[in-house]
Each structure stands twice: as structure tokens, then as C-alpha cells.
Amino acid sequence: MKEHLLKILVIGDGNVGKSSFVHRYVNGQFNRTYKMTVGVDFSVKMLHWSDKEKVRVQLWDIAGQERFISMTRIYYKGAVGCVVMFDVTDSSSFLKCHQWKQDLDNKAMLPKGSSIPCILLANKSDLSHWAVPADRIEMFCKANGFFTRMATSVKDNKNIDEAMRSLVKEILSI
Ligand code: GDP
């Protein structure tokens, strides 16, 4: 049995639903939250990917440090995938995704011009007062190197597993 260990980052502005997302995703599975010396928590979820492969997903939540926007390189080091999240009812959290993605690309220490697989998540899609039109989300996704985007609702448990599955699949296919 082959086991993959995938460090995946969850970034985006404060209050968009990142911790709720991580909690929802790992809920019901054996997991522990570790307090790292760098002040970032991560949670673990085991996936039985196929008959021959297991995947240990290590989700790094920025845990309230969004105010620094510019995270230390230690946080990004070794990451193989990333979730960039915004709140559909908060257009400023959407506009900031550009900066989050750039910060990631600058710090993930990859060869210039390359990037780790990134998925853009439009969270709180259960709320009716969307502040960001769907076509803008799609354009932004294409223009900024995300391999896909999805509308999620952590509240209604919509597209949480699907989003992570799609990200893990993208990572493993590289
Ligand atoms: P973080 O700061 O990005 O980690 O955000 P939190 O996970 O702390 O969530 C911020 C607030 O948004 C909390 O009150 C959550 O209950 C709420 N929230 C998170 N996801 C959703 C969602 O999908 N729909 C709605 N309506 N509220 C959500």
C-alpha cells in the first residue's frame, strides 16, 4: 500500500469560513490539531484513495493570522496544493484572493512561473445576497491560474468533499 502525505494550505481573508471548512472536512475522522511553533494549526484526514493508495491529507489553516497577509515561508514550505477561499457575500474577500494567490506563488519556492494546484472556493453559497457574480468568479479563476472553482457551503455541507477530492486528484495527477 502506497501512502501519500499531502500538505495542503487553506488561505483567504478572515471570517470567510476556513476553520469551519477544515473542521467540517475532517469531522468524524480520527484527527488531531497540532499547535505548531510557527503558530499555525494543521488537521489530518486519511483517505482510502484506491486499492493500492492511501492519502494522508494535512490541512494547514492559517488560524487567525490573516492580518499578516504575508505569511512566513515556513508556512508555505512543502505545500503541494492550496485552497483559496472567499465569502460570496463579501466582495472585498474576493478581491483579496489575487493577493493571496500571489503571496503563495512568491513563497512556495517553486521554479519561477510555476505553481502548486490551487482551487478557488466561493463559500457561504447558501446565502442569497451574493456580492460577486458567478461570471466574474469564473473569469478570475481562469486568469489567475486556478485549475477550477466551486461554490461551497460549509453550513449545508455542500461541495466540501467534492472540492477536496478534486484538489487531491489534481495533485496526484502531476
Ligand atoms: P475563518 O476566519 O475564515 O476561519 O472563518 P470561520 O470558519 O471562523 O467562519 C466565520 C463565520 O462564518 C462563522 O460564523 C461561521 O459559522 C460562518 N460560516 C462559515 N461557513 C459558512 C457557510 O458556508 N455559510 C454560512 N451561512 N456561514 C458560514
Side-chain angles (χ1 to χ4, degrees), residues 13-21 61 66 123-127 152-155:
D13 273 9
N15 211 43
V16 299
K18 301 181 300 297
S19 334
S20 310
F21 174 82
D61 181 3
E66 302 93 346
N123 192 39
K124 307 197 187 180
S125 63
D126 55 284
L127 298 174
T152 56
S153 167
V154 178
K155 185 170 173 247

PDB file of all heavy atoms in Angstrom, residues 13-21 61 66 123-127 152-155, ligand 1:
ATOM      1  N   ASP A  13      -9.107  35.560   3.359  1.00  0.00           N
ATOM      2  CA  ASP A  13      -9.360  36.543   4.409  1.00  0.00           C
ATOM      3  C   ASP A  13     -10.017  35.918   5.646  1.00  0.00           C
ATOM      4  O   ASP A  13     -10.562  34.820   5.579  1.00  0.00           O
ATOM      5  CB  ASP A  13     -10.283  37.644   3.866  1.00  0.00           C
ATOM      6  CG  ASP A  13      -9.472  38.742   3.189  1.00  0.00           C
ATOM      7  OD1 ASP A  13      -8.254  38.555   2.995  1.00  0.00           O
ATOM      8  OD2 ASP A  13     -10.068  39.782   2.863  1.00  0.00           O
ATOM      9  N   GLY A  14      -9.976  36.664   6.736  1.00  0.00           N
ATOM     10  CA  GLY A  14     -10.623  36.222   7.966  1.00  0.00           C
ATOM     11  C   GLY A  14     -12.134  36.182   7.796  1.00  0.00           C
ATOM     12  O   GLY A  14     -12.692  36.947   7.010  1.00  0.00           O
ATOM     13  N   ASN A  15     -12.780  35.237   8.469  1.00  0.00           N
ATOM     14  CA  ASN A  15     -14.240  35.154   8.514  1.00  0.00           C
ATOM     15  C   ASN A  15     -14.913  34.585   7.263  1.00  0.00           C
ATOM     16  O   ASN A  15     -16.131  34.625   7.142  1.00  0.00           O
ATOM     17  CB  ASN A  15     -14.831  36.549   8.827  1.00  0.00           C
ATOM     18  CG  ASN A  15     -16.127  36.422   9.593  1.00  0.00           C
ATOM     19  OD1 ASN A  15     -16.220  35.611  10.518  1.00  0.00           O
ATOM     20  ND2 ASN A  15     -17.129  37.178   9.208  1.00  0.00           N
ATOM     21  N   VAL A  16     -14.113  34.079   6.313  1.00  0.00           N
ATOM     22  CA  VAL A  16     -14.736  33.528   5.099  1.00  0.00           C
ATOM     23  C   VAL A  16     -15.196  32.078   5.293  1.00  0.00           C
ATOM     24  O   VAL A  16     -15.973  31.557   4.494  1.00  0.00           O
ATOM     25  CB  VAL A  16     -13.797  33.621   3.865  1.00  0.00           C
ATOM     26  CG1 VAL A  16     -13.442  35.076   3.564  1.00  0.00           C
ATOM     27  CG2 VAL A  16     -12.540  32.782   4.025  1.00  0.00           C
ATOM     28  N   GLY A  17     -14.704  31.432   6.370  1.00  0.00           N
ATOM     29  CA  GLY A  17     -15.149  30.068   6.671  1.00  0.00           C
ATOM     30  C   GLY A  17     -14.052  29.013   6.641  1.00  0.00           C
ATOM     31  O   GLY A  17     -14.339  27.810   6.609  1.00  0.00           O
ATOM     32  N   LYS A  18     -12.792  29.415   6.689  1.00  0.00           N
ATOM     33  CA  LYS A  18     -11.676  28.464   6.557  1.00  0.00           C
ATOM     34  C   LYS A  18     -11.647  27.425   7.681  1.00  0.00           C
ATOM     35  O   LYS A  18     -11.553  26.225   7.414  1.00  0.00           O
ATOM     36  CB  LYS A  18     -10.324  29.204   6.508  1.00  0.00           C
ATOM     37  CG  LYS A  18     -10.224  30.193   5.342  1.00  0.00           C
ATOM     38  CD  LYS A  18      -8.872  30.877   5.302  1.00  0.00           C
ATOM     39  CE  LYS A  18      -8.552  31.667   6.548  1.00  0.00           C
ATOM     40  NZ  LYS A  18      -9.463  32.787   6.813  1.00  0.00           N
ATOM     41  N   SER A  19     -11.726  27.884   8.937  1.00  0.00           N
ATOM     42  CA  SER A  19     -11.672  26.918  10.050  1.00  0.00           C
ATOM     43  C   SER A  19     -12.898  26.012  10.031  1.00  0.00           C
ATOM     44  O   SER A  19     -12.790  24.813  10.301  1.00  0.00           O
ATOM     45  CB  SER A  19     -11.605  27.597  11.417  1.00  0.00           C
ATOM     46  OG  SER A  19     -11.046  28.841  11.341  1.00  0.00           O
ATOM     47  N   SER A  20     -14.056  26.589   9.698  1.00  0.00           N
ATOM     48  CA  SER A  20     -15.278  25.779   9.620  1.00  0.00           C
ATOM     49  C   SER A  20     -15.132  24.714   8.537  1.00  0.00           C
ATOM     50  O   SER A  20     -15.565  23.569   8.706  1.00  0.00           O
ATOM     51  CB  SER A  20     -16.492  26.645   9.280  1.00  0.00           C
ATOM     52  OG  SER A  20     -16.561  27.766  10.106  1.00  0.00           O
ATOM     53  N   PHE A  21     -14.501  25.084   7.437  1.00  0.00           N
ATOM     54  CA  PHE A  21     -14.280  24.174   6.313  1.00  0.00           C
ATOM     55  C   PHE A  21     -13.402  22.997   6.749  1.00  0.00           C
ATOM     56  O   PHE A  21     -13.735  21.831   6.515  1.00  0.00           O
ATOM     57  CB  PHE A  21     -13.624  24.952   5.167  1.00  0.00           C
ATOM     58  CG  PHE A  21     -13.207  24.125   3.990  1.00  0.00           C
ATOM     59  CD1 PHE A  21     -14.114  23.763   3.014  1.00  0.00           C
ATOM     60  CD2 PHE A  21     -11.874  23.721   3.847  1.00  0.00           C
ATOM     61  CE1 PHE A  21     -13.730  23.001   1.912  1.00  0.00           C
ATOM     62  CE2 PHE A  21     -11.478  22.956   2.752  1.00  0.00           C
ATOM     63  CZ  PHE A  21     -12.410  22.597   1.788  1.00  0.00           C
ATOM     64  N   ASP A  61      -4.448  25.370   8.295  1.00  0.00           N
ATOM     65  CA  ASP A  61      -5.348  26.513   8.402  1.00  0.00           C
ATOM     66  C   ASP A  61      -4.532  27.685   8.925  1.00  0.00           C
ATOM     67  O   ASP A  61      -3.773  27.551   9.874  1.00  0.00           O
ATOM     68  CB  ASP A  61      -6.474  26.133   9.383  1.00  0.00           C
ATOM     69  CG  ASP A  61      -7.498  27.231   9.566  1.00  0.00           C
ATOM     70  OD1 ASP A  61      -7.390  28.273   8.910  1.00  0.00           O
ATOM     71  OD2 ASP A  61      -8.403  27.022  10.391  1.00  0.00           O
ATOM     72  N   GLU A  66      -4.493  35.988   9.383  1.00  0.00           N
ATOM     73  CA  GLU A  66      -4.723  36.625   8.079  1.00  0.00           C
ATOM     74  C   GLU A  66      -4.259  38.070   8.076  1.00  0.00           C
ATOM     75  O   GLU A  66      -3.936  38.620   7.038  1.00  0.00           O
ATOM     76  CB  GLU A  66      -6.210  36.604   7.719  1.00  0.00           C
ATOM     77  CG  GLU A  66      -6.828  35.235   7.667  1.00  0.00           C
ATOM     78  CD  GLU A  66      -7.449  34.829   8.980  1.00  0.00           C
ATOM     79  OE1 GLU A  66      -7.175  35.480  10.017  1.00  0.00           O
ATOM     80  OE2 GLU A  66      -8.217  33.851   8.978  1.00  0.00           O
ATOM     81  N   ASN A 123     -17.289  30.411  -0.866  1.00  0.00           N
ATOM     82  CA  ASN A 123     -18.024  29.836   0.276  1.00  0.00           C
ATOM     83  C   ASN A 123     -19.231  30.687   0.687  1.00  0.00           C
ATOM     84  O   ASN A 123     -19.375  31.816   0.252  1.00  0.00           O
ATOM     85  CB  ASN A 123     -17.056  29.649   1.459  1.00  0.00           C
ATOM     86  CG  ASN A 123     -17.664  28.797   2.558  1.00  0.00           C
ATOM     87  OD1 ASN A 123     -18.358  27.811   2.275  1.00  0.00           O
ATOM     88  ND2 ASN A 123     -17.452  29.165   3.807  1.00  0.00           N
ATOM     89  N   LYS A 124     -20.057  30.107   1.522  1.00  0.00           N
ATOM     90  CA  LYS A 124     -21.324  30.692   2.023  1.00  0.00           C
ATOM     91  C   LYS A 124     -22.333  30.831   0.889  1.00  0.00           C
ATOM     92  O   LYS A 124     -23.131  31.765   0.849  1.00  0.00           O
ATOM     93  CB  LYS A 124     -21.093  32.040   2.730  1.00  0.00           C
ATOM     94  CG  LYS A 124     -20.031  31.984   3.854  1.00  0.00           C
ATOM     95  CD  LYS A 124     -20.079  33.158   4.800  1.00  0.00           C
ATOM     96  CE  LYS A 124     -18.903  33.118   5.771  1.00  0.00           C
ATOM     97  NZ  LYS A 124     -18.889  34.247   6.719  1.00  0.00           N
ATOM     98  N   SER A 125     -22.272  29.880  -0.060  1.00  0.00           N
ATOM     99  CA  SER A 125     -23.159  29.928  -1.217  1.00  0.00           C
ATOM    100  C   SER A 125     -24.618  29.691  -0.836  1.00  0.00           C
ATOM    101  O   SER A 125     -25.520  29.876  -1.640  1.00  0.00           O
ATOM    102  CB  SER A 125     -22.716  28.902  -2.264  1.00  0.00           C
ATOM    103  OG  SER A 125     -22.817  27.606  -1.732  1.00  0.00           O
ATOM    104  N   ASP A 126     -24.850  29.276   0.421  1.00  0.00           N
ATOM    105  CA  ASP A 126     -26.233  29.116   0.912  1.00  0.00           C
ATOM    106  C   ASP A 126     -26.927  30.461   1.101  1.00  0.00           C
ATOM    107  O   ASP A 126     -28.150  30.544   1.139  1.00  0.00           O
ATOM    108  CB  ASP A 126     -26.217  28.351   2.248  1.00  0.00           C
ATOM    109  CG  ASP A 126     -25.322  29.018   3.291  1.00  0.00           C
ATOM    110  OD1 ASP A 126     -24.083  28.883   3.183  1.00  0.00           O
ATOM    111  OD2 ASP A 126     -25.833  29.685   4.193  1.00  0.00           O
ATOM    112  N   LEU A 127     -26.141  31.543   1.238  1.00  0.00           N
ATOM    113  CA  LEU A 127     -26.732  32.860   1.475  1.00  0.00           C
ATOM    114  C   LEU A 127     -27.223  33.452   0.157  1.00  0.00           C
ATOM    115  O   LEU A 127     -26.610  33.243  -0.895  1.00  0.00           O
ATOM    116  CB  LEU A 127     -25.706  33.791   2.137  1.00  0.00           C
ATOM    117  CG  LEU A 127     -25.213  33.325   3.527  1.00  0.00           C
ATOM    118  CD1 LEU A 127     -24.093  34.226   4.038  1.00  0.00           C
ATOM    119  CD2 LEU A 127     -26.363  33.294   4.534  1.00  0.00           C
ATOM    120  N   THR A 152     -19.170  26.570  -2.504  1.00  0.00           N
ATOM    121  CA  THR A 152     -19.316  25.668  -1.358  1.00  0.00           C
ATOM    122  C   THR A 152     -20.225  26.296  -0.301  1.00  0.00           C
ATOM    123  O   THR A 152     -20.413  27.510  -0.273  1.00  0.00           O
ATOM    124  CB  THR A 152     -17.954  25.399  -0.677  1.00  0.00           C
ATOM    125  OG1 THR A 152     -17.358  26.648  -0.298  1.00  0.00           O
ATOM    126  CG2 THR A 152     -17.008  24.643  -1.574  1.00  0.00           C
ATOM    127  N   SER A 153     -20.765  25.422   0.542  1.00  0.00           N
ATOM    128  CA  SER A 153     -21.420  25.903   1.754  1.00  0.00           C
ATOM    129  C   SER A 153     -21.009  24.958   2.871  1.00  0.00           C
ATOM    130  O   SER A 153     -21.390  23.790   2.867  1.00  0.00           O
ATOM    131  CB  SER A 153     -22.941  25.907   1.609  1.00  0.00           C
ATOM    132  OG  SER A 153     -23.521  26.093   2.894  1.00  0.00           O
ATOM    133  N   VAL A 154     -20.196  25.477   3.771  1.00  0.00           N
ATOM    134  CA  VAL A 154     -19.804  24.643   4.903  1.00  0.00           C
ATOM    135  C   VAL A 154     -21.052  24.395   5.756  1.00  0.00           C
ATOM    136  O   VAL A 154     -21.250  23.317   6.300  1.00  0.00           O
ATOM    137  CB  VAL A 154     -18.695  25.324   5.737  1.00  0.00           C
ATOM    138  CG1 VAL A 154     -18.326  24.459   6.936  1.00  0.00           C
ATOM    139  CG2 VAL A 154     -17.456  25.565   4.882  1.00  0.00           C
ATOM    140  N   LYS A 155     -21.906  25.403   5.813  1.00  0.00           N
ATOM    141  CA  LYS A 155     -23.131  25.297   6.609  1.00  0.00           C
ATOM    142  C   LYS A 155     -24.003  24.127   6.139  1.00  0.00           C
ATOM    143  O   LYS A 155     -24.447  23.313   6.943  1.00  0.00           O
ATOM    144  CB  LYS A 155     -23.910  26.613   6.497  1.00  0.00           C
ATOM    145  CG  LYS A 155     -25.135  26.670   7.360  1.00  0.00           C
ATOM    146  CD  LYS A 155     -25.711  28.073   7.386  1.00  0.00           C
ATOM    147  CE  LYS A 155     -27.028  28.086   8.110  1.00  0.00           C
ATOM    148  NZ  LYS A 155     -28.145  28.385   7.203  1.00  0.00           N
TER     149      LYS A 155
HETATM  150  P1  GDP B   1     -12.278  31.860   9.164  1.00  0.00           P
HETATM  151  O1  GDP B   1     -11.925  33.100   9.936  1.00  0.00           O
HETATM  152  O2  GDP B   1     -12.034  32.041   7.701  1.00  0.00           O
HETATM  153  O3  GDP B   1     -11.616  30.626   9.701  1.00  0.00           O
HETATM  154  O4  GDP B   1     -13.865  31.673   9.277  1.00  0.00           O
HETATM  155  P2  GDP B   1     -14.720  30.778  10.294  1.00  0.00           P
HETATM  156  O5  GDP B   1     -14.624  29.336   9.945  1.00  0.00           O
HETATM  157  O6  GDP B   1     -14.370  31.182  11.675  1.00  0.00           O
HETATM  158  O7  GDP B   1     -16.197  31.243   9.920  1.00  0.00           O
HETATM  159  C1  GDP B   1     -16.605  32.595  10.043  1.00  0.00           C
HETATM  160  C2  GDP B   1     -18.112  32.664  10.214  1.00  0.00           C
HETATM  161  O8  GDP B   1     -18.785  32.269   9.018  1.00  0.00           O
HETATM  162  C3  GDP B   1     -18.642  31.728  11.304  1.00  0.00           C
HETATM  163  O9  GDP B   1     -19.670  32.397  11.993  1.00  0.00           O
HETATM  164  C4  GDP B   1     -19.187  30.540  10.529  1.00  0.00           C
HETATM  165  O10 GDP B   1     -20.224  29.898  11.218  1.00  0.00           O
HETATM  166  C5  GDP B   1     -19.698  31.209   9.270  1.00  0.00           C
HETATM  167  N1  GDP B   1     -19.702  30.313   8.105  1.00  0.00           N
HETATM  168  C6  GDP B   1     -18.686  29.515   7.674  1.00  0.00           C
HETATM  169  N2  GDP B   1     -19.055  28.860   6.561  1.00  0.00           N
HETATM  170  C7  GDP B   1     -20.314  29.238   6.263  1.00  0.00           C
HETATM  171  C8  GDP B   1     -21.244  28.897   5.205  1.00  0.00           C
HETATM  172  O11 GDP B   1     -20.989  28.100   4.292  1.00  0.00           O
HETATM  173  N3  GDP B   1     -22.462  29.530   5.231  1.00  0.00           N
HETATM  174  C9  GDP B   1     -22.797  30.425   6.195  1.00  0.00           C
HETATM  175  N4  GDP B   1     -24.003  30.968   6.129  1.00  0.00           N
HETATM  176  N5  GDP B   1     -21.954  30.751   7.211  1.00  0.00           N
HETATM  177  C10 GDP B   1     -20.728  30.175   7.240  1.00  0.00           C
END
